[in-house]
Amino acid sequence: MSRASDRAYDHIRNLILSGELSPGEQIREEALAELCGVSRTPVRDALRRLEAELFIRRNESQRSFVADWSLDDLEEAFQLRAMLEAYGARRAAKRISWDQLARLRSHNDAIRQAITASTPDIPKFLDHNRQFHAIVLEAAGSERLSGMLAQVIEQPVVLRTARQYDMENLKRSHHEHDELLIAFDNRDGEWAAAVMTGHIRRAFHAYAAAHSGDTEIHRTDEAA
């Protein structure tokens, strides 16, 4: 894969993850080529990769669109993520270093600061939450697991879920991280896996509640 294709892939993927390209929006190769500063060939290569990763879908006329997942699709993604991250937490409990534990505590302290601010700092929460989970995966020490998790579309959902969190859910997320750290301190893989499973399942139900609310709003708008 050429550097131009990699650059296009990273750029388009970031546009999708940030929400600048919305679910259901049509992908226009010419506009993306201009945005990425490459020709259309690298853009096509990038779109093929993104389609394989389920970020993009094609219709019968071969037009490309940003994937718009149903709630059932998203529940499956959360279930897969829960299984994979629980496995990672179980492995990490037996392998995690003192340095990795210290870094986890540092990120969770930053999460606490973000959610206890006068106005919760959601971007800061997201950044340190992402790094917290990345360190757990690093501690698990499995390239195969990393590759599998990379295929689970998660970040746009995490962003939308976090924006819907009330203070209770933000605090629960932080406290679940605290409990995971205690499980790691005790090198208890089963405890760590159980905490991680509950952590991801709770996130799904927060997302599902927000999704149901959006659906009801949309239906009300249609009826108006």
Side-chain angles (χ1 to χ4, degrees):
M1 194 70 66
S2 71
R3 288 184 180 178
S5 295
D6 289 339
R7 188 163 70 250
Y9 168 83
D10 288 339
H11 195 122
I12 299 167
R13 187 175 185 274
N14 287 336
L15 290 173
I16 294 171
L17 293 179
S18 69
E20 291 182 62
L21 287 175
S22 307
E25 183 174 343
Q26 185 173 349
I27 301 291
R28 302 187 184 280
E29 291 182 5
E30 299 91 340
L32 289 176
E34 185 174 346
L35 276 173
C36 299
V38 299
S39 68
R40 290 177 63 178
T41 298
V43 167
R44 290 193 191 103
D45 290 340
L47 293 178
R48 279 193 286 269
R49 288 174 64 185
L50 290 164
E51 184 181 7
E53 294 172 2
L54 305 181
F55 281 91
I56 285 172
R57 62 175 178 82
R58 293 183 192 271
N59 65 10
E60 293 178 357
S61 62
Q62 294 303 300
R63 292 180 179 175
S64 296
F65 297 84
V66 178
D68 188 4
W69 286 20
S70 70
L71 188 58
D72 284 345
D73 292 330
L74 290 164
E75 182 172 17
E76 181 183 47
F78 270 103
Q79 287 174 337
L80 289 169
R81 183 183 165 210
M83 287 188 290
L84 292 170
E85 291 214 45
Y87 174 71
R90 184 181 292 109
R91 281 181 60 94
K94 303 298 184 182
R95 296 167 172 80
I96 197 163
S97 69
W98 294 115
D99 173 68
Q100 287 167 331
L101 279 169
R103 288 156 56 202
L104 286 175
R105 288 195 171 87
S106 176
H107 286 300
N108 209 35
D109 283 344
I111 287 172
R112 177 183 53 77
Q113 293 168 17
I115 66 176
T116 56
S118 55
T119 300
D121 188 339
I122 298 303
K124 182 176 180 180
F125 167 85
L126 283 169
D127 180 45
H128 288 283
N129 182 71
R130 178 184 58 78
Q131 294 188 65
F132 185 98
H133 283 264
I135 293 168
V136 174
L137 186 57
E138 172 192 305
S142 170
E143 291 185 10
R144 184 176 292 106
L145 176 62
S146 297
M148 293 173 73
L149 268 170
Q151 299 301 313
V152 179
I153 298 177
E154 170 256 341
Q155 190 61 30
V157 178
V158 170
L159 177 60
R160 185 176 176 182
T161 303
R163 284 174 174 165
Q164 298 294 333
Y165 273 180
D166 55 17
M167 183 54 69
E168 182 181 356
N169 266 307
L170 289 169
K171 287 180 177 177
R172 281 182 181 177
S173 183
H174 174 259
H175 290 158
E176 286 158 1
H177 285 178
D178 271 343
E179 187 175 357
L180 190 61
L181 283 165
I182 297 170
F184 286 157
D185 281 336
N186 285 276
R187 306 289 169 175
D188 190 324
E190 294 307 313
W191 184 6
V195 173
M196 185 65 83
T197 299
H199 185 57
I200 304 301
R201 291 304 300 167
R202 181 191 51 76
F204 166 70
H205 287 292
Y207 180 89
H211 184 278
S212 297
D214 288 348
T215 301
E216 289 303 315
I217 291 169
H218 181 63
R219 288 173 178 167
T220 302
D221 289 345
E222 286 182 339

